[in-house]
Amino acid sequence: MARSDLSHVDEQGRPRMVDVGGKTETRREATARTLVRLPDEVTSRLSGGELMTSKGPVFATAIVAGVMAAKKTHELIPFCHPLGLDDCAIDVEPLEDGLLAVTCRCSITAKTGVEMEALTGASVAALTIYDMCKALSHDIVIAETRLMEKTGGKHDFRHGA
């Protein structure tokens, strides 16, 4: 791939922010998911769909942290545009065998997409779960973070499609 094919690199190979000034505002949505594997000593604390530790309700705290992070993505990722998200929702779903699915859905009507916001929200929510549970075990694994779907802009994307 030539450097000019990369949106954040100019013709001379220097990093740059993408100029979205000439783009049309469209509805843009993105969903990202992070998988977290919890050992038995942590999953044994699951009750009624929530995980409680001495630091408080883990999933509720992770949801708040993930939304806060998504809103601050431009402060963390150098070439992300500052965006006023229309919506951001985090879901923490216990799956089988100590696996959690942390899903972040973001939406906006804008000139640029919200993939990075969704990825950041899911990642920070997962990191918050780790932080709040690490006193119980350091065998927690943040297994994978991936973009599941995006709509709006030039191309739509759906994982596995």
Side-chain angles (χ1 to χ4, degrees):
M1 180 179 285
R3 287 186 179 185
S4 61
D5 293 337
L6 300 172
S7 62
H8 288 87
V9 178
D10 70 14
E11 293 297 326
Q12 289 76 41
R14 297 176 301 218
R16 68 175 182 94
M17 187 173 197
V18 174
D19 181 358
V20 298
K23 293 173 101 179
T24 303
E25 286 191 355
T26 60
R27 180 71 175 174
R28 297 164 185 261
E29 299 178 2
T31 301
R33 183 185 70 195
T34 299
L35 297 177
V36 180
R37 296 187 198 288
L38 302 176
D40 291 341
E41 56 264 42
V42 178
T43 57
S44 66
R45 299 277 187 118
L46 269 170
S47 175
E50 178 59 274
L51 181 59
M52 292 297 293
T53 69
S54 60
K55 292 184 176 185
V58 175
F59 298 165
T61 304
I63 289 166
V64 172
V67 171
M68 289 175 64
K71 291 170 26 176
K72 292 180 174 271
T73 299
H74 71 282
E75 295 177 22
L76 302 169
I77 312 291
F79 297 122
C80 285
H81 293 82
L83 300 176
L85 296 176
D86 292 339
D87 189 31
C88 180
I90 308 271
D91 181 54
V92 180
E93 180 183 6
L95 304 174
E96 72 286 336
D97 300 324
L99 189 64
L100 301 176
V102 180
T103 304
C104 179
R105 292 173 191 84
C106 294
S107 62
I108 193 170
T109 300
K111 296 179 178 188
T112 189
V114 289
E115 300 97 283
M116 294 309 301
E117 286 72 14
L119 289 160
T120 300
S123 297
V124 170
L127 289 168
T128 301
I129 292 168
Y130 186 100
D131 177 57
M132 294 188 72
C133 296
K134 69 182 184 254
L136 302 173
S137 175
H138 284 94
D139 288 328
I140 301 163
V141 175
I142 298 174
E144 96 180 2
T145 299
R146 72 179 338 150
L147 182 66
M148 301 304 291
E149 181 177 20
K150 82 156 204 84
T151 59
K154 285 186 193 176
H155 308 287
D156 289 350
F157 167 83
R158 182 169 184 85
H159 172 68

